[in-house]
Amino acid sequence: MTTSDQPDYFTPSSSTALLTDKYELTMVQAALAAGTADRRCVFEVFTRRLPPGRRYGVLAGTGRVLEALEVFRFGDAELAWLERADVVDRRTLDWLAAYRFSGSIRGYAEGEIFFPGSPVLVVEGTFADAVILETLVLSILNYDSAVASAASRMTSAAGTRPCLEMGARRANEQAAVAAARAAVVAGFQGTSNLEAGQRYGLATIGTAAHSFTLLHDDEEQAFRAQVDALGPGTTLLVDTYDVTRGVERAVAIAGPGLGAVRLDSGDLGQQAVEVRAQLDALGATGTRITVTSDLDEFAIASLASAPVDSYGVGTSLVTGSGAPTCSMVYKVVARENGAGVMEPVAKASASKASVGGRKSAARVLDRAGRAEAELVVSGSDAAVDAWQPGDGQRGLLVDLVRDGVADAAYTGPEGVRRAAEHHARVRAELPATALRLSAGDPALPQRSLLLD
Amino acid sequence: MTTSDQPDYFTPSSSTALLTDKYELTMVQAALAAGTADRRCVFEVFTRRLPPGRRYGVLAGTGRVLEALEVFRFGDAELAWLERADVVDRRTLDWLAAYRFSGSIRGYAEGEIFFPGSPVLVVEGTFADAVILETLVLSILNYDSAVASAASRMTSAAGTRPCLEMGARRANEQAAVAAARAAVVAGFQGTSNLEAGQRYGLATIGTAAHSFTLLHDDEEQAFRAQVDALGPGTTLLVDTYDVTRGVERAVAIAGPGLGAVRLDSGDLGQQAVEVRAQLDALGATGTRITVTSDLDEFAIASLASAPVDSYGVGTSLVTGSGAPTCSMVYKVVARENGAGVMEPVAKASASKASVGGRKSAARVLDRAGRAEAELVVSGSDAAVDAWQPGDGQRGLLVDLVRDGVADAAYTGPEGVRRAAEHHARVRAELPATALRLSAGDPALPQRSLLLD
């Protein structure tokens, strides 16, 4: 039996509409029946906490949310399955068939720093229009921001040395594409991931693995094959057998113009010192050293004084360096009541209480332009809508979607480029303590302003 | 500016070929030029270690590897970008255009238990044919197995009570689909994820969130709306305001035939006891209690004596409960030399040494059918090929792909069903110590058999 006559189980759907928890749809069904589906609502994405010890988070994925929204459509295939699987009733199927998000979304610009309580995304529309986006919005922001938050610590620890993303093999195959993108938002300079390169116009990197050396009868044959094909500017992996002999062979074959050598095992700091001395002695003073073995922000920091020229980071990056997801939630904070009046709402019980009401936010800066607090404004819908940041306050919410139409400046390759620039700019505002890798409290205190 | 005239940045490609590290392709280019691309190779997927304290791993994703292979094609879009981005040369582009994997893949059946050194997948073909699959194979197996390994501990801790997957919002949106599938392989009974339900024929679950209660003017209105639309058999979320009053209202509105109540915050064990007593007193003796707040295998185990009927698990499941990726690697272990003879090969230096040579494996069982060791057989290509498990040994490698053709029995919904059955069967073979949640060594020792 072969799979040649099988359906294509693998390729993700061209619609994002089923990347959704079932209860979003059953809630729509119940609200349609109750006549409450059209009540105007404000949903807010925020996190109650940063991962233990982290001083700031980095928002990533906003551009992907807008891109996902464009293809959030219940087409014939989705509707046929929902009917067959008896997920919702006919009335709801008809509503889903016509669904286009027609509300508005504001949020922190992608690449922005966030803290507990920061209203990073504010979705406004009817209940049904907005609730149905919950799962997809959170999937995107929680993973992408987890990666970007880890990546920012790495690029900060690396200083001016480039960090390169190579974690695809340690993440789900599609998550890997998002991870590469999020890493670049937070300052990485390239990725090994070709799909990410294609989709978002990212620089791609990589030359050869140990298997290439092992394929050949000996290391010399392998290096010669690589240099012949990729030129002397290539990066040779020198630790398959013996590093010292590997470096010697590498320079002998490629000449002193060899682009770089890569170290992927052992004590990277000590080896880098030895390899640098050896390269210099061989006249290969311009040959760079790149290291790639199980790096995280702490390993990068510990290599600061070693003669390393770039860092390739995999596992710890794509798994958020100990925090593989943010704990962002998507909560209704205001809604129209039975009388048509907008009211703040919040869950009251136990451990998951939240602050009701629409929010806005600003970063409070001192005279030198240094961030000193996160101002979160809440209150009545109209008052918060009308609020504007004052002197020494940088407003944090930007318009992302108006009346269902996304601002293309935040999507695609251009969106990634802007987000990376934004991140570099706003990270530079933070106080120096924010960039310490050691465990600590959030770098900025939150100030609350309650409007009537 | 709107996105309406933008390319579709979001929808994953219908080809999996670019879900690949660049160096796989540059190695193909160099090997083609050197005349070594067609050397026959054996690549092996294995892990050097389990996550700290874990006693066994669960292989998942094998079916998805086969599905991904079917659409691993360099089409016009992929080739045009590779050329434009100058990733590889013309000769390599032509080779990629014609690429179809024509080799063979054997491996552990999906759902099988694995240990350090277990050869969970063995890919055989030319160097170029096989190396190019490295990234994609590892992406799939590393994430899916991380989830399944965590899931198995949860379903084991839950005993006969069902576990339900609801982690989509805490994982990348496509990873979430894979996570739902992997959870079901390891014994979960359903998922909130609609795409996973559609693609793999999984049972889907879910009714309503706190936002549905907050949408309405009060809890009574919300419960009435839900029961009217979804019937009294629905699950009502009773902790938005006050649990005791919520339960009272739930039964008053739905009647004693109410399907279930859900608790999503607070001290779940204590609340479950109180809610059970209250439900029973109200005559709702058949109403189930489901709990869903930040559960992991330890929380599930701690609720064993509480009157809980099912567990909804999110974050900890989709992030591998502390181990968000396996550390599986894809290593060449044997290859044809310049004289056309197959030879074992292995990286020699430093900390990442591996065992060369083709492998096979068997689980060694005692007379009662209890697993007592993992036998890993290695040696010359021919000898390992000819090796057969003996009495009291269950051979672990099955044919997955022969001459490029995948066995459809391992793919699609049928593949998931088989994998779940297989996992339940082989987990039951393990010694009781394997199922302890406390940190420990791998549950089975490895025995090595070296053939000439």
Side-chain angles (χ1 to χ4, degrees):
Chain A
M1 194 156 70
T2 79
T3 59
S4 55
D5 56 351
Q6 291 282 315
D8 175 1
Y9 295 116
F10 196 84
T11 309
S13 165
S14 61
S15 164
T16 53
L18 294 187
L19 299 170
T20 298
D21 289 324
K22 181 177 183 172
Y23 77 4
E24 318 290 8
L25 272 57
T26 53
M27 284 192 280
V28 170
Q29 174 175 330
L32 284 172
T36 49
D38 284 339
R39 287 189 175 190
R40 197 154 65 90
C41 286
V42 180
F43 281 83
E44 181 187 305
V45 177
F46 65 95
T47 184
R48 295 192 177 91
R49 70 195 81 86
L50 298 178
R54 291 283 181 88
R55 293 163 188 256
Y56 66 93
V58 177
L59 181 69
T62 312
R64 294 209 311 121
V65 168
L66 304 193
E67 294 162 10
L69 199 56
E70 294 283 310
V71 287
F72 193 95
R73 298 282 184 274
F74 293 86
D76 291 344
E78 290 78 29
L79 293 166
W81 179 78
L82 290 171
E83 182 169 17
R84 206 163 60 242
D86 198 23
V87 173
V88 285
D89 64 10
R90 164 57 47 196
R91 178 179 180 182
T92 309
L93 291 172
D94 291 343
W95 185 90
L96 295 173
Y99 179 77
R100 302 286 183 276
F101 179 71
S102 59
S104 295
I105 303 180
R106 308 190 77 211
Y108 282 33
E110 186 161 2
E112 185 57 80
I113 307 289
F114 69 86
F115 300 95
S118 296
V120 297
L121 205 76
V122 179
V123 179
E124 185 172 359
T126 68
F127 173 76
D129 268 11
V131 79
I132 206 171
L133 301 177
E134 176 181 23
T135 309
L136 182 58
V137 164
L138 289 177
S139 290
I140 294 173
L141 296 183
N142 269 324
Y143 180 69
D144 291 20
S145 300
V147 172
S149 297
S152 179
R153 286 159 62 86
M154 296 169 185
T155 56
S156 171
T160 57
R161 296 175 179 175
C163 292
L164 303 160
E165 188 281 318
M166 37 181 70
R169 63 192 57 197
R170 298 296 172 84
N172 167 274
E173 72 280 2
Q174 297 290 347
V177 182
R181 180 188 177 285
V184 169
V185 166
F188 273 60
Q189 310 240 322
T191 174
S192 62
N193 191 294
L194 292 173
E195 182 86 10
Q198 180 194 36
R199 207 175 309 167
Y200 296 107
L202 311 182
T204 58
I205 50 96
T207 57
H210 293 116
S211 62
F212 187 77
T213 300
L214 293 171
L215 166 68
H216 292 89
D217 293 346
D218 54 41
E219 194 175 51
E220 182 175 343
Q221 190 186 74
F223 285 0
R224 204 170 293 282
Q226 187 178 331
V227 171
D228 284 351
L230 306 178
T234 193
T235 299
L236 289 170
L237 177 59
V238 293
D239 69 345
T240 305
Y241 302 109
D242 176 85
V243 172
T244 306
R245 300 202 53 196
V247 170
E248 191 182 307
R249 275 193 198 104
V251 177
I253 289 164
L258 173 63
V261 295
R262 179 160 75 96
L263 301 171
D264 184 49
S265 50
D267 181 325
L268 299 172
Q270 189 189 329
Q271 278 189 51
V273 169
E274 292 168 9
V275 167
R276 180 76 269 156
Q278 188 184 1
L279 286 169
D280 290 347
L282 293 167
T285 54
T287 299
R288 296 178 307 281
I289 298 175
T290 186
V291 295
T292 57
S293 183
D294 286 336
L295 297 179
D296 60 13
E297 62 268 46
F298 303 101
I300 290 170
S302 77
L303 290 167
S305 65
V308 166
D309 297 286
S310 64
Y311 303 99
V313 190
T315 308
S316 71
L317 176 67
V318 300
T319 59
S321 197
T325 181
C326 297
S327 45
M328 288 185 191
V329 293
Y330 184 98
K331 295 293 175 191
V332 60
V333 292
R335 59 107 182 87
E336 208 175 354
N337 65 15
V341 177
M342 287 298 283
E343 289 179 331
V345 292
K347 180 175 182 299
S349 74
S351 57
K352 291 182 180 172
S354 50
V355 179
R358 176 195 288 274
K359 312 281 188 316
S360 192
R363 188 123 323 137
V364 181
L365 306 169
D366 68 16
R367 288 182 181 189
R370 185 72 54 187
E372 57 180 27
E374 185 87 338
L375 177 67
V376 176
V377 179
S378 61
S380 75
D381 213 49
V384 174
D385 238 5
W387 178 82
Q388 295 288 336
D391 277 355
Q393 297 182 346
R394 182 166 64 76
L396 293 170
L397 271 72
V398 298
D399 285 318
L400 298 166
V401 177
R402 290 187 204 224
D403 300 330
V405 180
D407 187 335
Y410 296 106
T411 65
E414 166 67 7
V416 177
R417 203 187 54 69
R418 282 172 63 122
E421 284 179 11
H422 187 73
H423 178 66
R425 190 161 58 242
V426 299
R427 188 173 73 184
E429 287 175 357
L430 293 179
T433 52
L435 303 182
R436 289 189 190 151
L437 297 182
S438 57
D441 292 327
L444 298 186
Q446 188 191 301
R447 292 186 197 155
S448 299
L449 173 62
L450 180 62
L451 304 175
D452 280 333
Chain B
M1 194 158 68
T2 79
T3 59
S4 56
D5 57 350
Q6 291 281 314
D8 175 2
Y9 294 118
F10 195 85
T11 309
S13 165
S14 61
S15 165
T16 54
L18 294 186
L19 299 170
T20 298
D21 288 325
K22 180 176 183 171
Y23 77 5
E24 318 289 8
L25 272 56
T26 53
M27 285 193 280
V28 170
Q29 174 175 330
L32 284 171
T36 49
D38 284 339
R39 288 189 175 190
R40 197 154 65 90
C41 286
V42 180
F43 281 82
E44 181 186 305
V45 177
F46 64 96
T47 184
R48 296 191 176 91
R49 69 196 80 87
L50 297 178
R54 290 282 181 91
R55 294 165 187 254
Y56 66 93
V58 178
L59 181 70
T62 312
R64 295 209 310 122
V65 168
L66 304 193
E67 294 161 10
L69 200 57
E70 294 284 310
V71 287
F72 194 94
R73 299 281 183 274
F74 293 87
D76 292 344
E78 291 77 29
L79 294 165
W81 178 77
L82 289 171
E83 183 170 18
R84 205 162 61 242
D86 198 22
V87 173
V88 286
D89 64 9
R90 165 56 47 195
R91 178 180 180 180
T92 308
L93 291 172
D94 291 343
W95 186 91
L96 295 173
Y99 179 77
R100 303 287 183 276
F101 180 70
S102 60
S104 294
I105 303 180
R106 307 191 77 211
Y108 282 33
E110 186 161 3
E112 185 58 79
I113 306 290
F114 68 86
F115 300 96
S118 296
V120 296
L121 205 76
V122 179
V123 178
E124 184 172 358
T126 68
F127 173 76
D129 269 11
V131 79
I132 206 171
L133 301 177
E134 175 181 24
T135 310
L136 182 58
V137 164
L138 289 177
S139 291
I140 294 172
L141 295 184
N142 269 325
Y143 180 69
D144 292 20
S145 299
V147 173
S149 297
S152 180
R153 287 160 59 87
M154 294 168 186
T155 56
S156 171
T160 57
R161 295 174 178 174
C163 290
L164 303 160
E165 189 280 318
M166 37 181 71
R169 64 192 56 198
R170 298 296 172 86
N172 167 273
E173 72 281 2
Q174 297 290 347
V177 182
R181 181 187 177 283
V184 169
V185 166
F188 273 60
Q189 310 241 322
T191 174
S192 63
N193 191 293
L194 292 173
E195 182 87 9
Q198 180 194 36
R199 207 176 308 166
Y200 295 107
L202 311 182
T204 57
I205 50 95
T207 57
H210 294 116
S211 62
F212 187 77
T213 299
L214 293 171
L215 166 67
H216 292 88
D217 292 346
D218 54 40
E219 195 175 49
E220 183 176 343
Q221 189 186 77
F223 285 0
R224 204 170 293 284
Q226 186 177 332
V227 171
D228 284 351
L230 306 178
T234 193
T235 299
L236 289 171
L237 177 58
V238 292
D239 69 345
T240 303
Y241 303 108
D242 177 84
V243 173
T244 305
R245 299 202 53 195
V247 171
E248 191 182 309
R249 272 191 200 106
V251 177
I253 290 165
L258 173 63
V261 295
R262 179 160 76 95
L263 299 172
D264 185 49
S265 52
D267 180 327
L268 298 173
Q270 189 189 330
Q271 279 189 49
V273 169
E274 292 168 10
V275 168
R276 181 74 270 156
Q278 189 184 1
L279 286 169
D280 290 347
L282 294 167
T285 54
T287 300
R288 296 178 307 282
I289 299 175
T290 187
V291 295
T292 57
S293 182
D294 285 336
L295 297 180
D296 61 13
E297 61 268 47
F298 302 103
I300 290 171
S302 76
L303 289 167
S305 65
V308 166
D309 297 286
S310 65
Y311 303 100
V313 191
T315 308
S316 71
L317 176 68
V318 300
T319 59
S321 196
T325 181
C326 297
S327 45
M328 288 185 191
V329 293
Y330 184 98
K331 294 293 174 190
V332 60
V333 292
R335 60 103 182 90
E336 210 176 353
N337 66 15
V341 177
M342 287 298 282
E343 290 179 331
V345 292
K347 180 174 183 296
S349 73
S351 57
K352 291 181 180 173
S354 50
V355 179
R358 177 196 287 274
K359 313 280 189 314
S360 193
R363 188 124 322 138
V364 182
L365 307 169
D366 68 15
R367 289 185 179 186
R370 185 70 56 188
E372 57 181 27
E374 185 87 338
L375 178 66
V376 177
V377 180
S378 62
S380 75
D381 213 48
V384 174
D385 240 3
W387 179 81
Q388 294 287 337
D391 277 354
Q393 297 180 346
R394 183 166 64 78
L396 292 171
L397 272 73
V398 298
D399 286 318
L400 298 166
V401 177
R402 289 188 204 223
D403 301 329
V405 180
D407 187 335
Y410 296 105
T411 64
E414 166 67 7
V416 178
R417 204 187 52 71
R418 282 172 64 122
E421 283 179 10
H422 187 72
H423 179 65
R425 192 162 55 242
V426 301
R427 188 174 72 183
E429 287 174 357
L430 293 178
T433 51
L435 303 182
R436 290 188 192 153
L437 297 181
S438 57
D441 291 327
L444 298 185
Q446 188 190 301
R447 292 186 196 154
S448 300
L449 173 63
L450 180 62
L451 303 175
D452 279 334

